[in-house]
């Protein structure tokens, strides 16, 4: 177990494991723990907890134990759209349907161990749902800060676990700094998107990918990027594996943003080391509502991850996202939310520009289920209609029409 | 690999592995394969496919590989409601959010290997969603037969994978026999709820439960019952383990039905060996729409499973189901659909009547995610509202109010 957090950029260390940001302004994370961890054949099937010795807490009971441990599957149906050999790491198969559970499973328990009476988060979507679920499972109160104009449907998804929900008027992006400050001054731990313990949870997705594919390794990993927290976790996992001598060459990291709010792509394209916050005039509505952070707090770390691994950051339009979401379902059998479809849309672009070869093996991480927003009753569906007696005839015509 | 299916009651064998029912009228299943299978420490993490030697097909690529392999977690928060020590086997963590994926993963590939050009099913819910997803992943056409009056929201969930959807007027229950007959006469395999290959897929849930808890064993397993197909699969799994000398004593099987349509409960209470089909006048609408089959095709087999294991069948009301669904979320952190909450409601009843002791270890199987129908925008949610500047004061009042 680690006992300090460290700045990815300047290397400064802090004993306070709940501290989120370095004095230099960059985000902190846990360094590789000093253990003799290796991939083993043990029968530990507790999802991500088989990597317990690389995490800052011991495995808790309850829904946290159900986090991670998601399938990695070869999905040939998606090869054509991606332009390469696709493996899907299906993060929708988490208890609340999103990779966020890996982070909440670690961070909620970690906050309680560090002395917080109450946990909280700032989210109008998957992170709010996940944090509330994990707090409920541990019998702890939870406060979720949401924007004032949150859709009713999203409120319901968070509210089922019965946290306190606070709708906050004003600049929602500025709440990140408020949350960090309030956690320091009050008996609550507001677990922001890149809290170090969350990043520790996210890194387990990389351990699972490597253990599933061993002795092979993927050429690249593609994921959505918003705050930069998940990308940081993936990079942290790769660095842990390298530090433990379990990995020689890092796979290329491809981060995909929605073109409606893509400060990390803009920074990547301009060669900047950190993103510039976008003004409201520079962002648009997007169907990929789970991503699109105009001022990503771990943006600089995400950029560093991409550059160290010779990857790239690309943006995709809502039309491309819709196409990728359909391909996931119709060619892959996966129901993913729009944000989770972005990596496939990004691979389409990257392959077209020659950045990825058709024989390369690429892991796509769809980060969240589409079931949370499917089934509204608003989408037109075409069907056949028949009586029981006319069914054989209709079936024959359907079979003949193939 | 098996090469025949057998009647659970009369023992008659048939070489046609796709045959669903015995000449005696009862459903068929695969017998325990003749292998030297044992639980092993191998690093096979392909979910249910670590039990490949006990299944009638080899593991396919695609979404089938992502089926099963769900977490089993100790969930102390649910002990009070259940009246015993609860383990949750979270079947919502399947690719389409329901245990049905175990059955579809095996049955769709099995049908294709047996020569079907097209697969299909009869379902207005999870089985239709799952079958369409698995067919899509294998690049096969799929035809889903639904009742004429299916809600639009359900159509959308099935339609995302782009199967042909046929709304059939008339007696929906009678379609089971139509489907079996049409599969015999046409180049389509309509995979009904208790097709033998589906049952083979379902049995893997038991293998996972036993391997997760080893060397301990649960005192009981509680699950919802509708067609009797899932209960048959669980019983088949237990019988396989017993036949392989991996299990001495069978856990008690508790099946829970919705009181709105509970022919298996009625038969259990009356001592009958098979359920009597309920007339439309004997059934009601229920929030547990995924269960409530008035004429369960594997009802007799489900009853036999319960009696052989000294279990029971109980019914629960919609009010009890709502309470259990809330407890799952608020005390456990799990988002489950109403049908999936019934086992917890059933345990409450069984504990109150003294059938289960408080120190007994019981595995609850929530069979499907609640996310498919949560987030409609119709449920009132109470929140606090504040401005950013007033947030510290509001947080203090929330923290003080604890």
């Amino acid at each position: 177990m680690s006992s300090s957090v460290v700045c990815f950029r300047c290397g400064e260390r802090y004993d306070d494991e709940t501290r989120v940001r370095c004095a230099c302004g960059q985000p902190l994370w846990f360094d590789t723990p000093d253990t003799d961890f290796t991939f083993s054949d043990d029968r530990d099937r507790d999802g991500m907890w088989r990597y317990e010795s690389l995490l800052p807490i011991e495995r808790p009971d309850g829904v946290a134990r159900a986090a991670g441990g998601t399938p990695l599957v070869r999905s040939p149906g998606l090869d054509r759209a991606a332009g390469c050999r696709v493996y899907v790491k299906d993060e929708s198969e988490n208890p609340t349907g999103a990779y966020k559970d890996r982070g909440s499973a670690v961070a909620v328990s970690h906050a309680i161990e560090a002395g917080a009476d109450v946990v909280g988060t700032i989210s109008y979507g998957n992170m709010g749902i996940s944090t509330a679920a994990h707090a409920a499972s541990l019998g702890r109160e939870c406060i979720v800060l949401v924007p004032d104009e949150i859709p009713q449907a999203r409120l319901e998804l968070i509210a089922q676990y019965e946290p306190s929900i606070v709708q906050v008027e004003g600049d929602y992006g500025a709440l990140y700094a408020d949350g960090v400050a309030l956690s320091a001054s009050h008996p609550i731990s507001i677990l922001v998107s890149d809290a170090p313990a969350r990043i520790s949870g996210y890194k387990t997705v990389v351990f699972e990918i490597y253990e599933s594919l061993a002795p092979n390794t993927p050429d690249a990993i593609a994921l959505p990027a918003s705050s930069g927290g998940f990308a940081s976790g993936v990079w942290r996992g790769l660095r842990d594996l390298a530090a433990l001598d379990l990995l020689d060459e890092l796979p290329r990291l491809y981060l995909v943003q929605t073109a409606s709010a893509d400060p990390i792509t803009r920074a990547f394209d301009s060669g900047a080391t950190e993103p510039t916050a976008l003004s409201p005039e520079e962002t648009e509505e997007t169907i990929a509502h789970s991503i699109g952070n105009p001022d990503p707090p771990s943006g600089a770390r995400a950029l560093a991850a991409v550059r160290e691994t010779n990857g790239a950051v690309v943006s995709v339009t809502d039309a491309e996202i819709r196409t990728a979401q359909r391909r996931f379902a119709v060619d892959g059998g996966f129901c993913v939310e729009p944000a989770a479809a972005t990596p496939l849309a990004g691979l389409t672009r990257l392959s077209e520009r020659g950045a990825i070869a058709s024989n390369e093996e690429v892991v796509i991480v769809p980060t969240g289920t589409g079931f949370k927003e499917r089934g509204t009753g608003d989408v037109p569906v075409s069907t056949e209609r028949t009586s029981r007696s006319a069914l054989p005839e209709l079936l024959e015509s359907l079979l003949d029409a193939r």
Side-chain angles (χ1 to χ4, degrees), chain A:
Chain A
M1 246 188 258
S2 267
S3 59
S4 64
V5 289
V6 59
C7 177
F8 89 93
R9 181 174 284 169
C10 75
E12 185 72 24
R13 289 186 178 273
Y14 299 88
D15 287 339
D16 176 4
E17 290 184 6
T18 65
R19 184 172 174 132
V20 177
R21 298 195 84 84
C22 181
C24 83
Q26 289 301 322
L28 301 168
W29 59 12
F30 287 91
D31 211 345
T32 306
D34 183 21
T35 76
D36 56 355
F37 175 86
T38 188
F39 291 135
S40 74
D41 287 345
D42 68 51
R43 57 193 305 145
D44 186 345
R45 307 207 187 293
D46 262 357
M48 57 187 262
W49 301 102
R50 49 189 286 115
Y51 313 108
E52 188 174 22
S53 65
L54 299 175
L55 296 173
I57 58 161
E58 290 176 13
R59 68 187 80 187
D61 268 338
V63 82
R65 284 282 261 282
T70 60
L72 178 78
V73 304
R74 173 79 180 103
S75 191
L78 298 177
D79 288 359
R80 186 198 283 199
C84 55
R85 292 172 54 81
V86 171
Y87 289 79
V88 172
K89 179 67 175 168
D90 185 14
E91 288 295 289
S92 78
E93 297 186 45
N94 266 294
T96 74
Y99 80 96
K100 294 285 186 183
D101 286 322
R102 293 182 189 270
S104 301
V106 175
V108 171
S109 281
H110 183 264
I112 292 169
E113 281 185 20
D117 292 334
V118 175
V119 296
T121 197
I122 304 161
S123 166
Y124 50 89
N126 291 327
M127 190 164 68
I129 295 167
S130 175
T131 306
H134 287 263
S137 171
L138 294 173
R140 291 298 172 131
E141 287 187 59
C142 180
I143 298 176
V144 182
L145 308 181
V146 302
D148 196 42
E149 70 284 9
I150 184 173
Q152 173 70 17
R154 304 269 197 83
L155 278 180
E156 282 174 39
L157 292 169
I158 300 170
Q160 65 179 313
Y161 307 102
E162 303 187 6
S164 297
I165 300 177
V166 179
Q167 293 180 263
V168 187
E169 294 159 26
D171 180 2
Y172 187 66
L175 274 183
Y176 177 92
D178 294 349
V180 170
L182 287 164
S183 297
S185 59
H186 290 71
I188 182 172
S189 182
I190 297 179
L191 299 162
V192 292
S193 59
D194 58 357
R198 273 198 199 281
I199 304 300
S200 288
Y202 296 155
K203 74 182 180 182
T204 59
V205 76
V206 165
F207 304 156
E208 291 176 13
I209 289 169
Y210 268 75
E211 202 169 5
S212 292
L213 292 179
N216 297 323
T217 59
D219 294 297
I221 301 176
L223 48 144
S226 176
S227 70
F230 190 42
S232 298
V234 169
W235 191 31
R236 183 67 263 173
L238 293 170
R239 290 180 65 155
D240 278 4
L241 292 182
L244 293 162
D245 289 326
L246 294 170
L247 169 63
D248 295 328
E249 197 176 347
L250 270 54
R252 280 128 54 205
L253 279 193
Y254 291 116
L255 306 184
V256 187
Q257 296 216 282
T258 163
S260 304
D262 59 353
I264 304 177
T265 305
R266 294 181 191 210
F268 180 77
D269 288 342
S270 71
T273 57
E274 45 203 288
T276 303
L278 300 183
S279 67
E281 294 71 39
E282 293 173 294
T283 66
E284 285 172 14
E285 288 284 302
T286 169
I287 57 168
H289 52 75
S290 295
I291 58 175
N293 190 321
D295 186 13
S298 276
R301 196 160 54 183
L303 281 165
V306 166
R307 293 204 172 104
E308 184 182 275
T309 62
N310 295 310
V313 191
V314 293
S315 297
V316 292
T317 66
D318 275 12
E320 292 172 296
I321 295 170
R322 272 194 199 91
T323 298
Q325 190 184 26
R326 180 168 172 235
R327 295 269 69 87
F328 257 116
V330 177
D331 299 337
F334 294 99
C335 172
V336 306
E337 66 170 313
T342 57
L344 180 57
L347 288 186
T348 305
R349 282 209 174 194
L350 288 160
S351 299
E352 282 170 3
R353 72 160 85 145
I356 298 172
S358 62
N359 63 348
E360 289 197 295
E361 304 202 323
V362 180
V363 175
I364 301 184
V365 189
T367 40
T369 180
F371 284 117
K372 285 174 189 166
E373 56 195 67
R374 284 246 174 222
T376 56
D378 301 330
V379 179
V381 172
S382 81
T383 65
E384 305 281 342
R385 299 185 85 145
T386 186
S387 62
R388 257 188 76 207
S389 58
L391 177 59
E393 199 178 341
L394 175 64
L395 268 191
E396 278 154 31
S397 73
L398 288 172
L399 291 167
D400 286 346
R402 284 177 306 129

